[in-house]
Amino acid sequence: MPVPIRRLVVAFTLCCALLAGSTAYAGGETTTTRDSAAVAAVAAAIADPTPSPSTSAEKQKFAKTRFVANAALAAGATYQWIVKPWKAGKFKKGAHGRRLALVKAALAGAFTYNRLKAAVRNAKGDPTLSKALAPLTAAIDGLKDLPSKLRKGDGNAADSFNDVINNVKDAGKSAGAPVKDKVPSASELRQG
């Protein structure tokens, strides 16, 4: 025989209230400093959900891994939506599909700039990567204005993106973190 929903809701609410009451009664003792420290640690972990490695070797490993992931996404976006259409002549005035190619290139340019800045932040965790990327930070900062140049049809902008990506790949390779292109999905491109 089926039980009405109202009875189930009342029973569930009563069980929750009893459980909460018994937990409150058991926890009515005074808190110690150790308990306070545990609560503070949990609160800090919730506020900053990124896991933190315990040793400097792990920090360096994660720095290289994050660098490779971010640089690979930047390289893939640059090749797929900037270099390839540029070589195909999609950015020239009067070209079929020029407007769509420019919109995609502008999105890819902003995404690439964002991922390269993240890769530079990641590289700071590894001394070898940090030294290898130090000369490239000015070139990466120079990419900030290139999406607007792409929209205006400046062909040198695509070449600049390609040069910076190749320099970042070379720097990663010299530091023991080879970068292979990874084309981001369209949703990643919009979020980045």
Side-chain angles (χ1 to χ4, degrees):
M1 185 161 115
V3 179
I5 288 283
R6 207 174 341 174
R7 285 188 190 169
L8 288 174
V9 170
V10 170
F12 180 71
T13 306
L14 184 59
C15 287
C16 289
L18 288 173
L19 181 64
S22 65
T23 307
Y25 176 74
E29 301 169 3
T30 59
T31 59
T32 63
T33 12
R34 187 181 68 188
D35 294 339
S36 301
V39 169
V42 169
I46 291 172
D48 183 22
T50 57
S52 59
S54 57
T55 66
S56 61
E58 287 176 339
K59 287 180 184 178
Q60 289 177 0
K61 180 180 177 186
F62 290 137
K64 279 187 178 182
T65 303
R66 286 189 221 127
F67 164 80
V68 168
N70 284 317
L73 286 170
T78 298
Y79 181 75
Q80 184 69 28
W81 289 294
I82 297 174
V83 174
K84 211 160 109 175
W86 172 60
K87 287 181 178 178
K90 294 273 187 178
F91 298 149
K92 293 180 181 175
K93 291 190 188 251
H96 180 69
R98 178 178 186 256
R99 184 174 291 163
L100 182 61
L102 287 173
V103 168
K104 287 179 182 179
L107 276 172
F111 178 82
T112 297
Y113 175 74
N114 182 318
R115 292 298 88 206
L116 286 176
K117 292 299 278 184
V120 168
R121 281 191 308 273
N122 297 142
K124 290 179 182 176
D126 183 68
T128 310
L129 266 175
S130 184
K131 288 177 187 174
L133 282 180
L136 299 176
T137 54
I140 291 170
D141 288 338
L143 294 178
K144 189 176 188 178
D145 299 328
L146 289 180
S148 63
K149 289 182 181 179
L150 281 171
R151 275 179 277 175
K152 294 176 185 173
D154 185 2
N156 293 331
D159 200 27
S160 297
F161 267 104
N162 198 28
D163 291 344
V164 170
I165 290 295
N166 287 334
N167 290 338
V168 168
K169 284 180 169 181
D170 291 341
K173 187 176 182 181
S174 71
V179 176
K180 295 180 182 171
D181 293 5
K182 181 183 183 303
V183 178
S185 67
S187 63
E188 287 176 318
L189 194 65
R190 283 180 288 198
Q191 292 174 357

